[in-house]
């Protein structure tokens, strides 16, 4: 028994000696594996019709000095805004104008519309008076029982909003659709404005723009739409615009030129 204990003791004493002399290797614990980065998330696709997918405020397209008259400022601004729409391919795609070609867009919105060279206007009162003045041989239209009350907001609206479709005349369906989607309307406060009216804006080398408007409850609704017409584009005076208007089957009225300066 004593001999067995001596043998075991001598073995234990030999272990440190063997380690010191390099005769024995003690296994070392394995290091933890390095951490790896998580995979980056898939980017969200940007819609084709939303540039950069970042909503931005509607710009005020005023690269020129606008009139002091707030009403005319709104009119000139919205007329230029529809040109910006015509230049925006993503807007046309989003509105479903798939069959529209660049040639079609250019044919209805050609030229720049930053500032009109000439502005003409006819009031709703003049339009209403012409309707009941016996024009077209219908003198009976002057009878009191047939006269509509154009102080009513809905009649003022109908009076001027019906003019664009009539002045567009007979066109290809695709062209009419393009003119419709390029039209815009804005509403702004104008407590002192009453009645209704119709503007025609002419540009140097640009498609004419028509703007029907009507006032109701201290606010004005003003629309803008292209009116491509070679004869109208060539008009220089209010008399020529009035003659062109009558030549399109409209009541004979006298347009007035609007000076912004």
């Amino acid at each position: 028994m004593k001999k067995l204990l001596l043998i075991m003791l001598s073995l234990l004493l030999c272990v440190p000696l063997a380690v010191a002399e390099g005769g024995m290797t003690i296994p070392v614990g394995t290091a933890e594996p390095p951490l790896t980065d998580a995979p980056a998330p898939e980017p969200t696709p940007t819609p084709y019709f939303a540039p950069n997918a970042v909503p931005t405020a509607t710009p005020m397209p005023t690269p020129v000095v606008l009139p002091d008259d707030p009403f005319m400022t709104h009119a000139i601004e919205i007329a230029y805004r529809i040109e910006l729409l015509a230049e925006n391919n993503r807007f046309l795609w989003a509105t479903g104008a798939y069959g529209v070609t660049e040639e079609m867009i250019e044919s209805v919105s050609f030229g720049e519309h930053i500032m009109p060279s000439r502005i003409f206007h006819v009031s709703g009162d003049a339009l209403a008076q012409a309707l009941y003045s016996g024009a077209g041989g219908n003198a009976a239209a002057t009878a009191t029982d047939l006269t509509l009350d154009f102080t009513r907001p809905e009649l003022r609206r109908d009076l001027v909003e019906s003019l664009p479709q009539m002045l567009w005349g007979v066109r290809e369906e695709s062209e009419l659709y393009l003119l419709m989607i390029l039209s815009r309307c804005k509403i702004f406060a104008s407590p002192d404005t009453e009645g209704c009216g119709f503007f025609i804006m002419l540009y140097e080398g640009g498609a004419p723009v028509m703007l029907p408007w009507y006032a109701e409850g201290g606010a004005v609704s003003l629309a803008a739409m292209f009116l491509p017409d070679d004869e109208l584009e060539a008009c220089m005076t209010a008399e020529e615009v009035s003659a062109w208007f009558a030549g399109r089957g409209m009541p004979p009225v006298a347009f007035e030129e609007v000076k912004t300066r």
Side-chain angles (χ1 to χ4, degrees):
M1 185 66 178
K2 291 182 178 180
K3 187 181 292 184
L4 179 60
L5 290 174
L6 289 174
I7 292 173
M8 293 179 63
L9 181 61
S10 61
L11 289 174
L12 292 174
L13 292 175
C14 291
V15 170
L17 181 62
V19 172
E21 295 178 354
M24 184 175 180
T25 301
I26 298 177
V28 180
T30 303
E32 294 182 1
L35 297 177
T36 58
D37 296 332
E42 292 292 331
T44 303
T46 301
Y48 175 71
F49 52 85
N52 303 322
V54 178
T56 57
T58 302
M60 288 293 290
T62 55
V64 295
V65 178
L66 292 171
D68 296 331
D69 181 359
F71 193 109
M72 293 311 303
T73 293
H74 285 293
I76 293 171
E77 185 270 336
I78 194 175
Y80 182 50
R81 191 181 299 278
I82 63 174
E83 179 191 319
L84 300 182
L85 293 180
E87 296 173 349
N88 192 325
N89 290 333
R90 292 185 175 182
F91 164 78
L92 295 172
W93 184 91
T95 52
Y98 307 115
V100 172
T101 64
E102 292 185 7
E103 290 76 13
M104 292 173 58
I105 298 172
E106 179 66 17
S107 68
V108 302
S109 64
F110 58 89
E112 290 188 348
H113 299 81
I114 298 175
M115 176 64 73
S117 59
R118 299 176 298 283
I119 304 175
F120 303 96
H121 179 261
V122 63
S123 68
D125 290 340
L127 286 167
Q129 183 178 358
L131 289 173
Y132 298 110
S133 64
N138 186 14
T142 59
T144 303
D145 58 343
L146 296 179
T147 302
L148 297 177
D149 180 9
F150 282 102
T151 62
R152 295 169 56 183
E154 69 274 15
L155 293 183
R156 292 199 301 267
R157 179 192 63 219
D158 294 343
L159 176 65
V160 294
E161 286 190 344
S162 62
L163 294 177
Q165 286 77 13
M166 291 187 285
L167 291 174
W168 276 336
V170 179
R171 298 174 183 266
E172 294 290 338
E173 183 178 351
S174 57
E175 185 176 357
L176 287 173
Y177 175 70
L178 179 58
L179 288 169
M180 288 293 295
I181 65 174
L182 292 179
S183 302
R184 276 298 175 271
C185 176
K186 69 186 305 182
I187 297 175
F188 56 91
S190 186
D192 298 328
T193 304
E194 298 179 352
C196 58
F198 190 78
F199 285 101
I200 289 180
M201 293 187 176
L202 302 181
Y203 300 81
E204 294 295 341
V209 174
M210 53 183 168
L211 301 96
W213 68 271
Y214 66 92
E216 179 181 356
V220 171
S221 175
L222 174 68
M225 51 209 72
F226 290 112
L227 179 55
D229 186 289
D230 293 339
E231 293 183 17
L232 176 60
E233 184 186 352
C235 291
M236 301 297 295
T237 65
E239 291 75 18
E240 291 176 342
V241 172
S242 300
W244 171 87
F245 190 76
R248 293 301 182 273
M250 299 294 105
V253 293
F255 277 81
E256 297 179 354
E257 187 167 4
V258 178
K259 299 295 185 181
T260 59
R261 290 288 184 268

